[in-house]
Amino acid sequence: MSKRKVKPSRILILLAGAAACAGVISLFLKYPVKYHNGDEIVATSSYSPLFGPDIEKSVPMEHYKFKGWYTDSELTSPAHSGFHLGTVDLYGKYEGETYSITYFDENWQKIPGQSPASYEYGSEIELPVLAKDGYT
């Protein structure tokens, strides 16, 4: 029985081929996506690395407008679609809905020029003190 030597170049080709196969296989795996609102996970899904996570998905919150997904909890780095590998954590940016405020007198007539004229949900406002002659 004779022993045959394998050239180092053939070993490298074999290793490169195995790595390429592992890369192709990983493209067909599904990876988790966690959608956060602050510290709370509000939704989960999975994605294929070829298409990336669904950054068009929104998680509705009553009284808030969804403004987009970010890759950091400080909301400084907007998420992008495209190629990803591994678990993806996305953090939602929301802004409170704005509501108009209308002031009425005791006869249900509008009182013009009062301030504030609007309110953003979740914020604090100071309402004017309304007075009427003869009342304290």
Side-chain angles (χ1 to χ4, degrees):
M1 191 178 258
S2 68
K3 291 188 178 182
R4 194 171 133 202
K5 286 189 172 184
V6 177
K7 293 182 181 180
S9 60
R10 288 188 181 168
I11 293 173
L12 289 176
I13 291 171
L14 180 61
L15 290 175
C21 286
V24 169
I25 291 170
S26 68
L27 292 178
F28 293 102
L29 295 175
K30 293 284 188 176
Y31 294 96
V33 181
K34 298 176 191 173
Y35 297 93
H36 300 261
N37 179 17
D39 293 333
E40 181 184 359
I41 296 174
V42 293
T44 59
S45 67
S46 61
Y47 73 96
S48 162
L50 290 173
F51 303 105
D54 182 6
I55 62 169
E56 299 302 317
K57 176 184 183 116
S58 67
V59 178
M61 282 185 21
E62 190 174 10
H63 304 294
Y64 289 90
K65 291 180 194 173
F66 178 70
K67 294 299 193 177
W69 294 111
Y70 290 76
T71 57
D72 62 318
S73 59
E74 293 80 26
L75 307 176
T76 59
S77 182
H80 61 84
S81 59
F83 187 80
H84 290 272
L85 278 179
T87 299
V88 174
D89 287 283
L90 297 176
Y91 299 85
K93 180 177 182 178
Y94 295 87
E95 287 181 0
E97 294 275 358
T98 300
Y99 298 94
S100 62
I101 300 173
T102 305
Y103 300 86
F104 295 93
D105 65 15
E106 72 278 1
N107 297 317
W108 288 101
Q109 300 298 311
K110 286 185 181 180
I111 303 172
Q114 294 294 318
S115 181
S118 64
Y119 164 73
E120 183 180 316
Y121 187 82
S123 66
E124 292 185 17
I125 62 169
E126 190 172 321
L127 294 172
V129 177
L130 300 176
K132 181 176 179 181
D133 292 337
Y135 291 87
T136 57

